[in-house]
Amino acid sequence: MTASIGRRWVFGVVALATAISAAIAQESSIRMQCPSATGTDIHPGANNPGIKCGHLVAGDGMVTMANDYTDGELGGKPLYVFGFALTDNFPPGGPAVNDPGYPGWIMTEGTLAANAPAPTIVVDEDDEVFLSLTNVGMAMRPDLFDPHSIHWHGFPHAASIFDGVPDSSISINMGASLSYYYYAKDAGTYMYHCHVEAAEHMQMGMVGNLYVRPRQNNLPNGPPLGATTHVTGNKYAFNDGDGTTRYDAEYPIQMGSFDPTFHDASFNVQPLPFAGMRDRYFLLNGRGYPDTVNPAVLTTTDPLGKVQPSQRVSSLIEAAPNKRILLRISNLNVTTFNTLGTNGIPMEVIGLDARLLRDGDGNNMYYKTNSLTLGGGQSADVILDTTGLTPGSIYFLYTTNLDRLANDAENFGGMMTEIRITN
Amino acid sequence: MRRFQPGQRKAGPVRLMAIVVTAVTLLLAASTARAAIISVQAQSFNLTASPGYVSVPDGGSIYAWGYTAGSTMQLPGPTLDVVVGQEVTVTLTNALPAAAGNVSAVFSGQQVAATGGVAGLLTQEAAPGGSVTYTFTPSEPGTYLYHSGTRPDLQVEMGLYGALIVRPSAPAAGCTASAYAHAATCYDREDLFLLSEIDIDVHRAAEQQASGPGPMYVVTEPYHSEYWLINGRAAPDTMAAAGTGLLPTQPYNSLPRMHPGERLLLRVVGANREMHPFHHHGNHTRVLARDGHLLLSASDPSKLAGPSLFTILSVPGETVDAIFEWTGKDLGWDMYGSDPNTQQHSCNGNPIPPGGGVAASPGYDAVTKEWCPDHGRAIPVTLPDLSVLTFGGFYSGSPYLGALGSLPPGEGGLNPSAGYTYMWHSHTERELVNNDVFPGGMMTMLIIEAPWVPID
């Protein structure tokens, strides 16, 4: 294994150096577009919170699974992934976006920096979102020249050019950048992923949380909302008009799963099993239990020896009694349906697929359940009410597909996290 | 600023529109709402269950059984297209190999009287060479499934299934076509999405025993599907022409096309044994009904109650009717372009100002369906140089609707009228393969055609 990494390391460095020199030769190929830096406002208006910009890189990296993987040393099983990273998370002190050194910095910091899941993207309704994507290439797979894309899954009224489907439009090659534009007009829980060779790139980890907060959050203090009154600082899942989707704390929970045979085959440049894909790591936000309740960022040493933040999103849910917890649940695994259950705290489903559950005559169609089944590409907004619960008590959010409470062959892991009632 | 190459377009929208606006109106008016679903419209059907071979896009040929209203076995069976309240008669003849045993048909949601044939567990069955007759009078419009009620673990997997569409006796008030006798179910176009899958091991075992004395011994568990189908075809065959001679036993395609502002009715049928999250890019759909039961508000039945979804859950045996709409609303920029020199066009009568800039007005343009608050707004980003991009076959070379742009030689070409294309597919992405070959499987494209592009 060491020998094979060493050989690939050489290829990787050569590929990287080539890409960087190419980037320097054509400075404009790697860039971030953000009109707010130039004062351009496309849709000015009092109701427009503004322009939000982000710069994602797409490439490869390593993550750590939760089982006690022993191959001569202690530690979790490392798994090769494709994924995204956000430049905001790169070490501070990098060059400005218009600095000639910016493309090289992007390539250097972006190489092997993939996160699982992809960085969470949160915007406000009416925002104009400029999301730039740079393909830094897959350093461990110098034989590949895959483009990448961003698909904002569920985004209504996207033009094909910004929908991220490679067949329908364009996708970006290695060493270059493509900027996407979205006018976020509908609040809700969405998700995003790379749509290039989707069965492969999504199995490999190019999936993440994305949600839009409603404009109702920005109401002035005092107006009545149904039987309640809006108070500055109150947060809602939707523009409900009646305050019924108010929450005190929100958590994105993305179900996913990995087939280590597929990932290892990819790492070792072997044919990929598609029809034979069988996931064995079942995850919430890219981690299996008990890593799901670790509030810290998980790190993994990449094959070049650098310690990289690999899994940033904890799934630990905490709230005091008498609070309302909003879970923004989505499923982006590529092989199966999953059921999430709670013990002791019923889930009130208030939204599906980024839309408030309400009939055409204005009646709320919310329902309470102890289990929620979602296939890939479905989302649900769920409220947990901690009224009357005892501080210090722990509840579980876990898959009731009980065979998936495992990290590969290791029991008491997998798709599970804790809901801790605090003081 | 190289986001657009003047002079490399075939025609600017204004010129095209000037030529075609009159014709477009006529074409739109002349199009029939039923055109996109190929069906047999009758009240009496003679079906035959027979063997044949279906093609999968990786080059394979798979032994299958199917119903046909003619002489060639087909997968899925013919879409039976009937009217509510009128008696339907289906006579089924068994032309399967004798080893396959009896065959039958059950019709979900219907009160069926069966005559003739031999007794079976679920219904009367047709013995090899024999026939049986089913009679029912559908009481509710909607989309339904019919399939074999004989040894269904094997016979349904082999392909003995199809869709039953029950239409209201008259369209709802105010429209020319509706899924139900309810104004909220009016539609301009409709498409069938009958979802199924194939485990080739089952088909191989049946093929090997087809010439034997029977009964067949075929293991149907564990089940590991390798091919995933829409209307009997796996991508890219889903997008080939309906009725093509290249796929004689798979006559139905799946290539929805519509204009901005139209209402597209989806009839989604889970025909075999797996659940599929059917994700439709472009916009949400509003669920009208499940299993032919309209979902209406309890407090005002003139309004719908079904959820608005971006992924329709399709489960075995269930049907979902949903309405999809697409407009350019809230795109944030002008979908016909903003350059007054090459992309001049009007929205509610307002041209783009001579020097460029925004000419916003409320609402839509009645002909182009442009969302006028965005009229004249430039696409907000600079697109990369062509040399750093990978191009999709459906990319027209331009981000604008109905516009062609420059592409390197050999690129594009699948979308000559430059519509906006959206992938509609199973979001169990593993099912976007044909066995181990990506891409393929349960996938097709919706094409939003520019208003001046005629759709059959």
Side-chain angles (χ1 to χ4, degrees), chain A residues 397-414:
Chain A
L397 178 73
Y398 64 101
T399 180
T400 51
N401 305 99
L402 298 175
D403 56 309
R404 298 171 191 171
L405 289 177
N407 303 313
D408 198 358
E410 197 172 284
N411 204 349
F412 286 118

Side-chain angles (χ1 to χ4, degrees), chain A residues 248-259:
Chain A
D248 299 293
E250 67 181 339
Y251 295 90
I253 299 287
Q254 187 163 89
M255 297 183 270
S257 45
F258 287 148
D259 175 1

Side-chain angles (χ1 to χ4, degrees), chain A residues 277-360:
Chain A
M277 218 183 256
R278 300 287 182 268
D279 291 346
R280 305 207 302 273
Y281 287 106
F282 297 93
L283 313 167
L284 295 175
N285 293 326
R287 307 179 185 185
Y289 186 83
D291 285 351
T292 48
V293 299
N294 184 346
V297 172
L298 300 192
T299 59
T300 306
T301 303
D302 75 24
L304 304 186
K306 182 177 177 184
V307 176
Q308 300 266 13
S310 55
Q311 290 131 294
R312 294 180 174 275
V313 186
S314 170
S315 299
L316 175 62
I317 299 161
E318 292 182 298
N322 309 314
K323 298 291 185 188
R324 289 163 62 83
I325 304 168
L326 172 65
L327 300 183
R328 297 180 175 274
I329 304 175
S330 59
N331 185 354
L332 267 183
N333 92 87
V334 298
T335 59
T336 185
F337 284 72
N338 290 308
T339 302
L340 267 190
T342 48
N343 65 341
I345 313 177
M347 298 188 273
E348 183 177 32
V349 181
I350 59 169
L352 291 175
D353 285 3
R355 290 293 174 270
L356 183 65
L357 270 184
R358 183 170 284 179
D359 76 7

Side-chain angles (χ1 to χ4, degrees), chain A residues 47 124-127 152 155-156 182-187 190 212 215 239 355, chain B residues 329-331:
Chain A
N47 201 30
D124 291 309
E125 204 171 13
D126 302 315
D127 273 350
W152 178 328
F155 188 75
Y182 312 95
Y183 194 16
K185 297 298 286 183
D186 295 281
Y190 301 86
V212 181
R215 61 176 74 97
N239 297 307
R355 290 293 174 270
Chain B
K329 183 173 186 293
D330 290 335
L331 207 61

Side-chain angles (χ1 to χ4, degrees), chain B residues 50-62:
Chain B
S50 57
Y53 288 84
V54 295
S55 294
V56 281
D58 59 357
S61 184
I62 299 176

Side-chain angles (χ1 to χ4, degrees), chain A residues 33 42-43 151 153 157-158 160 163 166-169 171 173 198 274-275 278 334 337 353 359-361 363 376-377, chain B residues 224 277 281-282 284 297 299 303-304 310-311 313 327 331-332 374 377 382 388 390 392 394 421-422 427 429-430 436 438:
Chain A
Q33 293 189 42
I42 295 162
H43 288 270
H151 170 55
H153 178 103
H157 299 293
S160 292
D163 195 35
D167 317 69
S168 297
S169 59
S171 43
N173 294 341
F274 283 105
R278 300 287 182 268
V334 298
F337 284 72
D353 285 3
D359 76 7
D361 199 36
N363 302 303
Chain B
H224 294 305
H281 288 226
H284 282 64
S297 168
S299 56
K303 293 170 178 160
L304 297 172
F310 52 58
T311 302
L313 170 59
T327 69
L331 207 61
D374 288 336
R377 292 189 196 280
T382 304
V388 299
T390 296
F394 288 90
T421 58
Y422 296 95
H427 215 280
E429 307 268 344
R430 182 176 74 94
D436 273 341
F438 180 94

Side-chain angles (χ1 to χ4, degrees), chain A residues 1-12 303-304:
Chain A
M1 184 129 186
T2 308
S4 109
I5 285 180
R7 192 166 62 248
R8 223 159 318 140
W9 183 84
V10 174
F11 283 129
L304 304 186

